[in-house]
């Protein structure tokens, strides 16, 4: 699942990634570079990955790599 910032609460569907993270990867593919700004997490630069089935979201690259090898394939 998508790691939540301190203080809890994600803004996305079913407690998933923030809406801005989803919007940052609209029309993109998994592994593409992305960036967005979030009130809680600040400016984020990372890659698009699939945290949940049928959802593509932007996350910091180190977070994606920490997902046990899921997502974040070769750039």
């Amino acid at each position: 699942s998508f790691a939540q910032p301190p203080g809890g609460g994600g803004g996305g569907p079913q407690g998933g990634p923030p809406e801005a993270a989803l919007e940052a990867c609209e029309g993109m593919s998994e592994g593409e570079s992305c960036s967005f700004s979030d009130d809680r997490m600040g400016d984020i630069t990372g890659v698009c990955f699939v945290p949940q089935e049928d959802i593509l979201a932007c996350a910091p690259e180190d977070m994606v790599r920490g997902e046990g090898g899921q997502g974040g394939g070769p750039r």
Side-chain angles (χ1 to χ4, degrees):
S1 73
F2 193 86
Q4 298 297 323
Q14 301 175 354
E19 189 66 28
L22 302 174
E23 291 173 0
C25 288
E26 283 183 7
M28 299 177 91
S29 299
E30 187 172 10
E32 287 191 63
S33 296
C34 59
S35 63
F36 69 97
S37 184
D38 181 76
D39 290 340
R40 293 182 185 164
M41 301 185 328
D43 292 333
I44 302 296
T45 300
V47 295
C48 295
F49 82 116
V50 181
Q52 300 170 10
E53 188 175 332
D54 297 327
I55 294 177
L56 187 64
C58 186
E61 197 167 353
D62 57 343
M63 181 186 298
V64 173
R65 286 187 187 147
E67 289 280 322
Q70 271 187 303
R75 292 180 82 185

